[in-house]
Amino acid sequence: MKLKRFWTALVGAMLILALGVVAVACDSDTTTDGGGDGDTTVAVEEVTLDKTSATLIVGETLTLTATVTPDNATDKTVSWLSSNDAVATVENGTVTAVAEGIATITATAGGKNATCVVTVQEEGVTVDSIDGLIEALESGENDVIRLAAGTYELTETLSISARGVSVIGSGSVVLAADADGWTGTANAEKNLISINAAENFTLSNVTVQGSLRNGVNVWQSTEVTLENVVSRNNAAAGVLVNDSSVTLNAVTTEGNAWAVNVDEGEKTNTTELTVDEACSFGETLQIYCDSTEQTVSVNVPDTYHQADVTLVGAGEYRVWTTQEALKDGMTIVPATPDTITYSVAAMQDGYVLYLTAGTYEGDISVAYDNVTVVGDGEDKTIVKGSIILGSDKAGVDGAVYTVTGLTVESTGDPAKQLGIMLNSNSKLTNGTLAIQSVTIRNHLFGTQLGSAITNSTIALSDVTFENVWCAISVKNGTGFENSYTGADTCTFTDCTYQLQNWSPNEYFEVIGGAETDGSTVTVPTPDAWYAQVTGTGE
């Protein structure tokens, strides 16, 4: 009996010990996907640098900034490495140019990395005037010309036909057109910088602005590089590439009529453009060719796509763009806050109203069916009012309305405002309203979809609703079978209801919000809505 009790006690102790080990293992679980109950390790997804290329003079320094995503990554420590310390060294992101040559700087975090190619050149000659720059270019004796910091106002086109030369801004360098004193009148004489018949030429670290035509015009040249160049507020293109081979590294365009224009030209009938991922183009037309028939080669990062579009009043264009809403076959009517009335007047059925960055005061009413309203982004394009879609025609069949890439805000009393709505006379049948990457805030209703819709789809994607009463309000036609997709990608904040399905007998089915069971409740009167949302009634 004693032996039996001994073995029983021993087995029991071993079982308790084993269970304890399992419990400890479970409590100390560490995972990268949030599946455990203990600490969670969040992996680094991407590392980016603020520059992917740079040109330095021997002895100069450059500070690179690394961004690690996601923000809540467990270990965001960045390590730095130079491929050639004899050319350039790096410590905590600060690059020091040592000797002429090329070195690749790599930033690494969590197994992910990003690189910047640094070209180091000898000091060359430094100039502090446009006349001095022209003289240094024409002498043919300088491989590197440094332009001293300052703002240089030009009264005529700066023409450059150099071979094997780099012009580098030292510090803050701005090249600007003196509009009052400009001498040229023909289009070719209105470009601020014209790079003609150049070869192996680099322009870097400068801002080009205020041209009466194009900021930088590259014509019949080969191996031209624009690096860390800002081209802004020019009357036509920020950069024009014609019959040339050009590389853009960390080039920014903003406030121009167009960003980058590529044309095949007349000499070789070919143009090759290469764009790196650090470039940023703020205009509606980012990279475009005047014709879909021209032979041009455009090499862009994976974030771009190609589309053939028609610009109302201008013609057909082939574009390379990061703007997902621009797709093949679209007819675009661009609008700015100053031209919105004209742009809406130019709309027709099937057109795209493109709202460039800015704040649009008041309602925007597009009285056509099958229309798309596109903004440059929720944080860039803001409509303070309502967007009203659709014609006065009753019984519209198969119409498609799309709103994407903007914010719609209330302008006044939120209890009397509608965000995105269909025309009150529209009766949508077998159609679609698609709302994508949109914020709708401070309205009574986020969307009010006409007097009746039948057998139609409300397609949502990444929509933020911040409204007083409900996100989506629909009055259905008789025998309706409507569908709603993508609600799981949306955010509903401060909305009493997510969806109201109004039926002909003045009841609605509630989905989400205060009534989560899909029950049917009596609709309050408009006065009761107002009292509830303002607190002025009983």
Side-chain angles (χ1 to χ4, degrees), residues 37 112 217 329:
D37 297 328
K112 305 293 184 179
N217 176 51

Side-chain angles (χ1 to χ4, degrees), residues 188-231:
E189 298 172 341
K190 295 179 181 179
N191 299 318
L192 191 65
I193 298 177
S194 185
I195 302 172
N196 298 326
E199 183 177 341
N200 190 20
F201 173 77
T202 297
L203 176 67
S204 63
N205 302 343
V206 300
T207 294
V208 179
Q209 65 185 36
S211 168
L212 304 181
R213 188 64 179 165
N214 302 299
V216 179
N217 176 51
V218 185
W219 179 67
Q220 294 186 356
S221 298
T222 58
E223 297 183 52
V224 171
T225 298
L226 304 184
E227 183 176 88
N228 298 323
V229 170
V230 176
S231 186

Side-chain angles (χ1 to χ4, degrees), residues 46-54 61-69 71 76-80 90-95 105-109 113-116 118 228 250 277-278:
E46 185 180 30
V47 179
T48 57
L49 289 174
D50 58 335
K51 291 182 175 62
T52 58
S53 65
T61 62
L62 168 70
T63 299
L64 296 174
T65 300
T67 301
V68 179
T69 55
D71 289 339
K76 298 174 67 176
T77 303
V78 178
S79 61
W80 299 86
V90 60
E91 183 175 355
N92 295 328
T94 299
V95 180
I105 306 300
T106 302
T108 302
N113 60 66
T115 60
C116 175
V118 175
N228 298 323
E277 60 186 10

Side-chain angles (χ1 to χ4, degrees), residues 265-327:
E266 300 175 355
K267 184 179 180 180
T268 63
N269 294 324
T270 59
T271 285
E272 183 173 2
L273 175 70
T274 301
V275 175
D276 80 346
E277 60 186 10
C279 289
S280 175
F281 307 123
E283 294 78 4
T284 300
L285 292 181
Q286 294 181 329
I287 304 170
Y288 79 97
C289 183
D290 287 336
S291 168
T292 59
E293 303 299 324
Q294 291 189 28
T295 303
V296 296
S297 174
V298 177
N299 307 300
V300 292
D302 292 340
T303 51
Y304 289 76
H305 67 276
Q306 178 182 308
D308 291 346
V309 301
T310 299
L311 191 64
V312 170
E316 294 184 355
Y317 293 85
R318 175 159 291 164
V319 300
W320 293 262
T321 178
T322 60
Q323 297 150 331
E324 295 182 5
L326 294 186
K327 302 184 185 302

Side-chain angles (χ1 to χ4, degrees), residues 377-390:
E378 293 165 83
D379 60 338
K380 296 179 180 179
T381 300
I382 299 174
V383 176
K384 289 193 172 181
S386 301
I387 296 178
I388 307 164
L389 304 170

Side-chain angles (χ1 to χ4, degrees), residues 108-434:
T108 302
K112 305 293 184 179
N113 60 66
T115 60
C116 175
V117 177
V118 175
T119 301
V120 179
Q121 299 177 334
E122 296 294 341
E123 183 171 356
V125 62
T126 299
V127 298
D128 59 5
S129 67
I130 295 300
D131 288 341
L133 174 60
I134 294 173
E135 184 178 343
L137 286 166
E138 291 178 346
S139 72
E141 299 176 354
N142 305 289
D143 293 336
V144 177
I145 304 172
R146 293 168 56 82
L147 189 56
T151 297
Y152 300 84
E153 291 194 345
L154 282 69
T155 57
E156 61 181 3
T157 302
L158 173 61
S159 295
I160 299 174
S161 299
R163 295 173 179 264
V165 176
S166 295
V167 174
I168 305 171
S170 179
S172 175
V173 173
V174 177
L175 301 174
D178 182 351
D180 294 333
W182 194 265
T183 58
T185 56
N187 278 343
E189 298 172 341
K190 295 179 181 179
N191 299 318
L192 191 65
I193 298 177
S194 185
I195 302 172
N196 298 326
E199 183 177 341
N200 190 20
F201 173 77
T202 297
L203 176 67
S204 63
N205 302 343
V206 300
T207 294
V208 179
Q209 65 185 36
S211 168
L212 304 181
R213 188 64 179 165
N214 302 299
V216 179
N217 176 51
V218 185
W219 179 67
Q220 294 186 356
S221 298
T222 58
E223 297 183 52
V224 171
T225 298
L226 304 184
E227 183 176 88
N228 298 323
V229 170
V230 176
S231 186
R232 65 189 181 200
N233 301 333
N234 299 291
V239 178
L240 174 61
V241 178
N242 190 310
D243 206 1
S244 301
S245 57
V246 176
T247 298
L248 305 183
N249 294 330
V251 170
T252 299
T253 66
E254 55 190 20
N256 307 292
W258 316 288
V260 180
N261 180 196
V262 291
D263 287 320
E264 64 183 7
E266 300 175 355
K267 184 179 180 180
T268 63
N269 294 324
T270 59
T271 285
E272 183 173 2
L273 175 70
T274 301
V275 175
D276 80 346
E277 60 186 10
C279 289
S280 175
F281 307 123
E283 294 78 4
T284 300
L285 292 181
Q286 294 181 329
I287 304 170
Y288 79 97
C289 183
D290 287 336
S291 168
T292 59
E293 303 299 324
Q294 291 189 28
T295 303
V296 296
S297 174
V298 177
N299 307 300
V300 292
D302 292 340
T303 51
Y304 289 76
H305 67 276
Q306 178 182 308
D308 291 346
V309 301
T310 299
L311 191 64
V312 170
E316 294 184 355
Y317 293 85
R318 175 159 291 164
V319 300
W320 293 262
T321 178
T322 60
Q323 297 150 331
E324 295 182 5
L326 294 186
K327 302 184 185 302
D328 265 336
M330 282 187 169
T331 300
I332 304 169
V333 182
T336 66
D338 294 334
T339 64
I340 183 63
T341 301
Y342 165 80
S343 298
V344 170
M347 289 292 291
Q348 294 184 27
D349 197 57
Y351 282 13
V352 176
L353 178 62
Y354 204 113
L355 305 180
T356 59
T359 299
Y360 297 75
E361 301 283 353
D363 297 342
I364 296 177
S365 180
V366 186
Y368 290 92
D369 304 308
N370 297 306
V371 295
T372 298
V373 180
V374 178
D376 273 341
E378 293 165 83
D379 60 338
K380 296 179 180 179
T381 300
I382 299 174
V383 176
K384 289 193 172 181
S386 301
I387 296 178
I388 307 164
L389 304 170
S391 66
D392 288 332
K393 296 181 292 185
V396 178
D397 188 79
V400 177
Y401 307 99
T402 301
V403 181
T404 182
L406 50 82
T407 291
V408 187
E409 293 183 350
S410 171
T411 56
D413 186 347
K416 297 182 179 179
Q417 294 289 321
L418 304 173
I420 298 173
M421 60 183 293
L422 293 185
N423 184 297
S424 59
N425 292 325
S426 295
K427 296 181 182 297
L428 181 63
T429 303
N430 302 317
T432 299
L433 173 66

